[in-house]
Amino acid sequence: MSAETLTENSVATDFWDGVWLSTPVVVAAAPFGLLFGAIAVDNGFSVLEASLMSALIFGGASQMVGIELFGQHVAPWLIVLSIFAVNFRHVLYSASIGRRIAHWPVIQQALGYFVLTDPQYAVAERKAEAGETVGFAWYMGLGLPVYVFWVIESALGAVFGKLIPDTHALGIDFLLPIYFLGLVLGFRKRPLWLPVVIASAAASIIAYKTVGSPWHVSIGAIAGVLLAVILPPHHSGVEAKR
Amino acid sequence: MSTTFWIIIAGAVATYLTRVGGHLVISRFDHIHPRVEAGLNAVPAAVLTTLVAPAALGAGPAEWAALIVTAVVSLRGGLMAMFLAGAAVLILARQFVG
C-alpha cells in the first residue's frame, strides 16, 4: 500500500468519525428544522425563502427570532440586528476554536467558520481538549450532515408544516438541553469549570426572567467568561502551563 | 429582489461575521494575554450552560429526571451513551407525568 492510499484512507476514516458524532445533533435538531419551516411559511415566507434562510444563516435560534419579527412587520434593519444579536455568542466560539484550526489552508478555515454552530464548536473543542488534532475532514464530517439535514428539514417543514404532530410525548422539544448538558459536563476537568458554570447559569436565568430570551444567552455567556478573566491567573491554570 | 430576500442575505452576512469575527480579532495579536486565554478556555462551559439553565429551571419532573440521568451517565459514558440515556428517560417519564 502506498503512502498516498494510506493518507486517503485516514482522511475517509476521519470524515466518518465526524459523521458518527454528528448523529445525536442531527436527531436533536430535526424537530427544530421542521418547526422552523412550518413557522416561516406561517409568517409569510415562501418555501424557497425558508430553505434559503436555513442554507445561508444555518442558526436555528436566530432564524426563529428573525421569522417571528418578520411576522410582526418589524423594520428589516431591526430584524437583521436581532439575528446578529442572537448569534453574537459565535464571536466567542470563533475566538476560541481559531486556536485549533489555524493550521488549515485559508479556504478551509473560511468554510469551517461557516458551519460553526453550538454543537460543532463544543464537539471540536472536546476533541482538541483530548489532545487530538482537529482536522478538516473530521470537522466537515461532523458539520455537513447537520447542515444538509437542517436545510432539507426546513423545506419539509415549510411544505408539510400543518402535519406536524404534538411532539411533547416523544420528548423531542427537550432533546437539545439534554445534549448540551452532556457537553457542559464533558468540560468539567477544566480549571474554573464550576465557578464559570455557576456564574453563567445564574446570570442567564436572571437575564431570562428580566431582559428575556434570546438575550439571556449572550449575557450569561459574558458573565462566565468575564469571571474567568477577572479571577487571578493562578486559579485559571493558564500560567501553570507556561 | 424582494425585501425578504435582502433580509436573508443581510442576516447571513451578519451571522458569518459573528462566526469568523472572534478569530479575526484574536489573530491580530501575536501574544495572547493569560487572562484572555483563561476567558477563551471558559467559553464552552459559559455559553453551553446558558442553553441549559433557563430551560431546566422552567421544566418539570420528567425533564429533571432526564437531566440527572444524563449527568450521571456523562461522568462515565461517551457523548452518544449519555444522549441516548437522557432521551430514553425523558420519553419514559413523560408517559407517566406528562
Side-chain angles (χ1 to χ4, degrees):
Chain A
M1 199 183 278
S2 73
E4 211 164 276
T5 29
L6 264 179
T7 331
E8 265 173 36
N9 281 344
S10 75
V11 165
T13 309
D14 280 357
F15 180 82
W16 289 108
D17 280 353
V19 171
W20 166 245
L21 287 173
S22 79
T23 47
V25 186
V26 168
V27 171
F32 295 94
L34 292 167
L35 193 65
F36 165 74
I39 295 175
V41 167
D42 220 38
N43 280 281
F45 267 43
S46 68
V47 173
L48 183 71
E49 287 164 344
S51 316
L52 189 72
M53 193 181 199
S54 281
L56 293 183
I57 295 185
F58 188 39
S62 69
Q63 291 178 223
M64 296 282 191
V65 170
I67 280 295
E68 179 67 25
L69 297 176
F70 181 83
Q72 294 170 22
H73 304 288
V74 169
W77 69 269
L78 203 57
I79 298 177
V80 174
L81 183 68
S82 301
I83 291 171
F84 180 76
V86 176
N87 283 330
F88 188 75
R89 66 186 184 285
H90 294 107
V91 171
L92 296 171
Y93 295 159
S94 166
S96 169
I97 205 72
R99 302 176 290 172
R100 322 295 189 198
I101 64 173
H103 59 283
W104 297 359
V106 173
I107 297 291
Q108 293 185 355
Q109 288 190 41
L111 268 175
Y113 286 113
F114 180 76
V115 295
L116 186 58
T117 56
D118 299 294
Q120 184 76 26
Y121 166 69
V123 176
E125 187 70 13
R126 241 175 109 97
K127 188 176 174 73
E129 189 175 71
E132 296 168 32
T133 309
V134 178
F136 182 70
W138 176 86
Y139 185 95
M140 280 301 160
L142 175 65
L144 265 185
V146 183
Y147 179 78
V148 169
F149 277 98
W150 179 252
V151 177
I152 292 173
E153 285 148 9
S154 304
L156 289 177
V159 176
F160 301 109
K162 299 278 188 294
L163 303 178
I164 292 178
D166 173 27
T167 52
H168 183 81
L170 289 171
I172 51 185
D173 56 298
F174 205 71
L175 288 183
L176 278 178
I178 287 175
Y179 181 73
F180 287 135
L181 175 71
L183 287 175
V184 170
L185 286 162
F187 291 101
R188 67 186 179 281
K189 299 234 165 63
R190 286 205 175 173
L192 295 179
W193 179 82
L194 190 60
V196 167
V197 165
I198 291 171
S200 290
S204 67
I205 287 169
I206 292 168
Y208 186 79
K209 301 258 180 203
T210 54
V211 190
S213 182
W215 312 101
H216 67 282
V217 174
S218 291
I219 294 172
I222 288 167
V225 170
L226 269 186
L227 181 77
V229 171
I230 290 165
L231 285 177
H234 65 89
H235 286 296
S236 57
V238 171
E239 284 208 323
K241 282 192 301 189
R242 278 158 196 278
Chain B
M1 285 293 175
S2 67
T3 315
T4 315
F5 177 80
W6 287 112
I7 291 174
I8 293 170
I9 297 294
V13 171
T15 300
Y16 190 72
L17 283 179
T18 67
R19 287 190 170 138
V20 77
H23 164 68
L24 292 182
V25 171
I26 288 287
S27 61
R28 297 254 160 249
F29 299 93
D30 295 330
H31 173 78
I32 299 177
H33 191 278
R35 284 182 191 264
V36 174
E37 198 181 339
L40 291 180
N41 290 338
V43 168
V47 186
L48 296 168
T49 298
T50 69
L51 303 178
V52 183
L57 195 72
E63 291 78 15
W64 293 332
L67 290 176
I68 290 167
V69 169
T70 305
V72 171
V73 174
S74 78
L75 299 182
R76 282 297 160 106
L79 209 49
M80 197 68 73
M82 73 82 194
F83 177 70
L84 292 178
V89 170
L90 178 69
I91 293 167
L92 205 64
R94 277 195 177 169
Q95 310 307 315
F96 298 106
V97 291

